[in-house]
Amino acid sequence: MSTFKMKKYFILLLFICTGIYSSAQQITVKDNVTLQPLEFVTVYSLSLNASAMTNIKGQADLSDFKGADDIKIRLVGYQGQQMSFDALQNLNFIISLEPSQVYLDEVVVSANRWTQESVDVPNKITAISPGQISLQNPQTAADLLNNTGGVFIQKSQLGGGSPMIRGFAANRVLITVDGVRMNNAIFRSGNLQNVISVDPFAVRLTEVVYGPGAVIYGSDAIGGVMNFYTLRPVFATNGKPLVKANAVVRYASANTEKTGHLDFNIGLKKWAFTTSISYSDFDDLKMGSKGPDDYLRPEYVQTINGIDSIVPNSDPKVQVPTAMNMLNLMQKIRFSPSENWDFVYGFHYSTTSDYSRYDRLIRYKGDNLRSAQWYYGPQVWMMNNLTVTSRLSTKIYDRFGITLAHQYFEESRHDRDYRKTTLANRIEEVNVVSLNFDIDKKLSENQTLYYGAEM
């Protein structure tokens, strides 16, 4: 046999093996009439607290569902189905949904920290799926929340983004990441920019709870709760390692944004690892021609030979100085010794460069600009958290979750008036240690008790 034919058969065999392998890893959902793949189909299991959503090819990863007997497959406008993992395997993980006029509610996890159907939740909740995040392609997590239409974002400069829910903001709305509260003692009543520390590329699901959530989340949640759930390590199935990766490169002309992102997953039988890296660099923002004249920048302060001078701006629509950059890192390690136990360790690190507060730099005092400098120092956030989940049903609980976390925050503000020598500095550093218990017990067919504690 010639070398060319051997290569051809080898490539064909490789494609066949890859197709068999991929089909064992994921479900494919199609329309029963058109046989076209269905996107945004929700696949979830309440017993395993696992959920997934199909992509544009109608495919979703089922690594987290192995052994489940209550896998529900639902999409608005279609009749839902429920079956076991083994039943799906007998169908080669290919299933068709029958069109229907019955409205099906989505599944949320924010109301009580466990996966729950939205019809059973008294709060108004908006969920942002991975597909919506990819479509919206937000520059920061603040932009991601703004795209929901239910969260107003106060943003006076690049690096800004203070969410407001129904008139409440700052320390009256709560931000959580993987169930860990970000709010702490330095969260003031004025606008806060801490939400930009969350990497939108590393978010797999965002849920916004409108209205008071203090019973579950504490007094910071008077106005609402913004929950970010980051990428979760996925195990391999059938004994074969699961390796997948995503990469994004983006450029935006309005602020000369240059962004690069990479995340990848390595899944074994009982161990799984997920790594995410994102870096963004922004130049001075250029406002649109229809913007308010109050934000134009006809001149700005420049220090020349140690003396402040007011120099003309060649393009008043360029907001000088608003340039900044951001770095986000995430590493997760997951270990599941059995179907009843799940351990997840997560490391998050985010930092920014110095970035100016633009609305303060355009104020005048007489004929001169009032401030020569007004900027925030690097906003640093680091979190280590360990989550242990047990699904071993006992007399006390059916599901038990404990989260231990340590967070470090560093923020600073610096300002100096025009032609003054004194630079005022305010630097804040905080370490936060938290411990959280979440427990539920099904008392009867129609009654479930949720309880827990946080310290």
Side-chain angles (χ1 to χ4, degrees), residues 26-304:
Q26 58 195 10
I27 186 175
T28 301
V29 186
K30 298 180 179 180
D31 185 296
N32 190 41
V33 177
T34 65
L35 300 181
Q36 295 298 310
L38 295 176
E39 190 179 6
F40 302 132
V41 178
T42 301
V43 183
Y44 65 98
S45 167
L46 296 178
S47 63
L48 296 184
N49 194 32
S51 63
M53 184 171 291
T54 59
N55 57 22
I56 195 172
K57 297 181 180 179
Q59 298 173 339
D61 196 333
L62 289 185
S63 300
D64 289 343
F65 295 82
K66 189 174 182 181
D69 293 323
D70 61 338
I71 300 177
K72 296 183 179 181
I73 304 163
R74 311 181 76 177
L75 178 65
V76 174
Y78 289 84
Q79 295 179 8
Q81 295 198 31
Q82 177 175 333
M83 57 184 62
S84 65
F85 184 88
D86 293 336
L88 283 172
Q89 195 169 27
N90 293 334
L91 295 173
N92 294 322
F93 297 102
I94 299 176
I95 189 170
S96 299
L97 296 183
E98 185 76 25
S100 170
Q101 299 302 318
V102 179
Y103 176 78
L104 303 178
D105 285 318
E106 63 186 343
V107 178
V108 298
V109 298
S110 292
N112 55 27
R113 301 177 186 266
W114 297 112
T115 301
Q116 188 178 20
E117 295 183 17
S118 61
V119 70
D120 298 324
V121 178
N123 302 75
K124 167 64 177 176
I125 296 179
T126 297
I128 311 172
S129 67
Q132 291 173 300
I133 296 174
S134 299
L135 177 65
Q136 295 166 358
N137 202 15
Q139 290 187 336
T140 66
D143 298 327
L144 170 62
L145 292 171
N146 189 51
N147 291 336
T148 65
V151 181
F152 173 76
I153 299 296
Q154 187 277 340
K155 189 174 183 180
S156 53
Q157 73 281 326
L158 288 177
S162 181
M164 300 182 183
I165 300 177
R166 295 181 175 178
F168 292 93
N171 59 4
R172 289 295 179 265
V173 292
L174 181 67
I175 303 169
T176 73
V177 179
D178 292 336
V180 179
R181 61 170 55 244
M182 183 180 284
N183 297 39
N184 59 74
I186 64 172
F187 273 41
R188 56 191 182 274
S189 59
N191 293 310
L192 297 169
Q193 327 299 332
N194 298 79
V195 73
I196 70 169
S197 295
V198 180
D199 182 7
F201 288 109
V203 173
R204 63 181 171 88
L205 176 66
T206 302
E207 291 182 348
V208 181
V209 182
Y210 302 96
V215 172
I216 297 174
Y217 293 99
S219 60
D220 291 329
I222 293 176
V225 185
M226 294 156 287
N227 293 286
F228 297 93
Y229 301 95
T230 58
L231 298 174
R232 187 176 178 86
V234 180
F235 294 114
T237 57
N238 298 331
K240 297 181 180 180
L242 173 65
V243 180
K244 58 181 181 180
N246 296 291
V248 176
V249 178
R250 182 175 64 202
Y251 174 82
S253 58
N255 48 17
T256 321
E257 178 204 11
K258 299 170 285 293
T259 291
H261 166 77
L262 172 67
D263 69 77
F264 58 89
N265 180 94
I266 300 175
L268 306 176
K269 183 178 180 180
K270 295 184 177 181
W271 291 87
F273 309 86
T274 295
T275 302
S276 174
I277 305 171
S278 300
Y279 179 79
S280 296
D281 181 81
F282 303 93
D283 204 346
D284 294 329
L285 177 65
K286 184 175 183 179
M287 64 180 287
S289 58
K290 303 299 182 181
D293 293 341
D294 292 343
Y295 282 86
L296 291 173
R297 188 70 156 152
E299 55 189 8
Y300 59 93
V301 177
Q302 186 174 6
T303 303
I304 303 173

